[in-house]
Amino acid sequence: MALIRNSKLRPRVLVVGGGYLGLVTAQNLLKNLGRGEATVTVVDPNPYMTYQPFLPEVAAGSIEPRHAVVPLRRNLKGAEVVTGYVRSINHAKKYAVVEPEGDEAFELDYDHIVLAAGSVARALPIPGLDEEAIGVKRIEEAVALRDHILNQLDAAALMENDEERRKALTFVFVGGGFAGIEALAEIEDMVRSAVAQHETLTEADVRFVLVEAAPRVMPEVGEAQARWVVDHLRERGVDVYLETFLQDCTNKRCKLSNGEEFDADTIVWNAGVKANPLLVDSDLPLDDRGRLTVRADLRVEDENGVVEGAWGAGDNAAVPDLSGGGVGGYCVPNAQHAVRQAPVLAANILAALRGETEFRQYFHKSLGAVAGMGLYKGVAQMGDFETRGFLAWLMHRGYHGYAIPTVDRKLRVFTNWFLNFVAGRDLTALKDLDVPRKNFVEAAHSKPAPRKEPAKK
């Protein structure tokens, strides 16, 4: 579909962000809009939506990377999909500056704007963090982390220097929330399996470290479950440090607030998220944490009341939690809320387009929390019901297998899991993905070996 930059022919709904919230909101709009009633435009730097709860399993090789993403154009028939960045928003004049991938920026008019840009990693000003750490917020990071760790095992298997080997096989995870615990546990499980394929390595050579600033992990579950998670990780050989900060990791030399120092070639940062900073370059109201201020009906509001034509939800918005269970009175930034906010958001935008004045309020009481911690291991809490181990692992996979959008992706994910169950986890690492031209360049610059003249008889 050709992009109509001027929306005067019909109203335009501009959806900023093609994550779960943006994708499902756009799908609901397209499904219910009348012919010619409005144009739906979705702008995102990626041509796909990433189902972030699956990133730990991608990093651990349980799910193929492309099966954890949902292509936008294929699943948004009838919408304008722009692969690019929204650089700024002028809501007073109702236009956004859009910069497509590899092209010049342009102004795009809209009548309604949906802020669904999600969140980014909340990095702290720790010396060395920018240079040495990696997050697990993007599919590319999960793939790179998996290949890096498996390649570290291959390299360490040939090392004779004990200090170099210890550094290569020390894996530090900072952040003990759901994302951090799942990433550590899934990858630790993968590494233990991979070590068995190396004759010169043993599990005792590998060290996993969890650094968490709070006095407990996983605030989404009860105290008993959180204590069990820590005990379980320690039984698996993980060094868990609570009420501890990473103070420095310059040149991969980790210095903790408890006084311990050690070298680690792998530092994974999962210590929280913050609202997407693109909101800063706009005239829309933000709270002190950089989140869009919205009402329970997901309309943006400022000190003067509703900001007409502006909507927000998901991780980049401070959505009131009417159930009373949210931290600080707001919905926590997780997939459970995004799944349920999208239909409410689409229904209210449709109502506004049609001149209606009654809007639905978002209300959802948390169903609980489920987390995978490697093959056949998990933790789950549904209200007062708590379970651990195999049943929790099944609940985790069942819920997220159901929640990932589109039948196509559900089939691929469940097929991945079945094949892994039958054939075992794939522990093959791919090399040089970040420099795919390396071998070609080396071949192009190599000189042929000197030609030897045949010996004279």
CSV table of all heavy atoms in Angstrom, one decimal, residues 446-452:
chain,number,residue,atom,x,y,z
A,446,SER,N,43.7,-12.3,0.4
A,446,SER,CA,44.7,-13.3,0.5
A,446,SER,C,45.6,-13.4,-0.7
A,446,SER,O,45.1,-13.2,-1.9
A,446,SER,CB,44.1,-14.6,0.9
A,446,SER,OG,43.3,-15.1,-0.2
A,447,LYS,N,46.8,-13.7,-0.6
A,447,LYS,CA,47.7,-13.8,-1.7
A,447,LYS,C,47.9,-15.3,-2.0
A,447,LYS,O,48.0,-16.1,-1.1
A,447,LYS,CB,49.1,-13.2,-1.4
A,447,LYS,CG,49.0,-11.7,-1.2
A,447,LYS,CD,50.3,-11.1,-0.9
A,447,LYS,CE,50.2,-9.6,-0.8
A,447,LYS,NZ,51.6,-9.0,-0.5
A,448,PRO,N,47.9,-15.7,-3.3
A,448,PRO,CA,48.1,-17.1,-3.6
A,448,PRO,C,49.5,-17.6,-3.2
A,448,PRO,O,50.5,-16.8,-3.2
A,448,PRO,CB,48.0,-17.1,-5.1
A,448,PRO,CG,48.3,-15.7,-5.6
A,448,PRO,CD,47.8,-14.8,-4.5
A,449,ALA,N,49.6,-18.8,-2.8
A,449,ALA,CA,50.9,-19.4,-2.4
A,449,ALA,C,51.9,-19.3,-3.6
A,449,ALA,O,51.5,-19.5,-4.8
A,449,ALA,CB,50.7,-20.8,-1.9
A,450,PRO,N,53.1,-19.1,-3.3
A,450,PRO,CA,54.1,-19.1,-4.4
A,450,PRO,C,54.1,-20.4,-5.2
A,450,PRO,O,54.0,-21.5,-4.6
A,450,PRO,CB,55.5,-18.9,-3.7
A,450,PRO,CG,55.1,-18.4,-2.3
A,450,PRO,CD,53.8,-18.9,-2.0
A,451,ARG,N,54.2,-20.3,-6.5
A,451,ARG,CA,54.1,-21.5,-7.4
A,451,ARG,C,55.5,-22.1,-7.4
A,451,ARG,O,56.5,-21.5,-7.5
A,451,ARG,CB,53.8,-21.1,-8.8
A,451,ARG,CG,53.6,-22.3,-9.7
A,451,ARG,CD,53.2,-21.8,-11.1
A,451,ARG,NE,53.0,-22.9,-12.0
A,451,ARG,CZ,52.6,-22.9,-13.2
A,451,ARG,NH1,52.3,-21.7,-13.7
A,451,ARG,NH2,52.5,-23.9,-14.0
A,452,LYS,N,55.5,-23.4,-7.1
A,452,LYS,CA,56.8,-24.2,-7.1
A,452,LYS,C,57.0,-24.8,-8.5
A,452,LYS,O,56.1,-25.4,-9.0
A,452,LYS,CB,56.7,-25.2,-6.0
A,452,LYS,CG,56.6,-24.7,-4.6
A,452,LYS,CD,56.7,-25.8,-3.6
A,452,LYS,CE,56.6,-25.2,-2.2
A,452,LYS,NZ,56.6,-26.3,-1.1
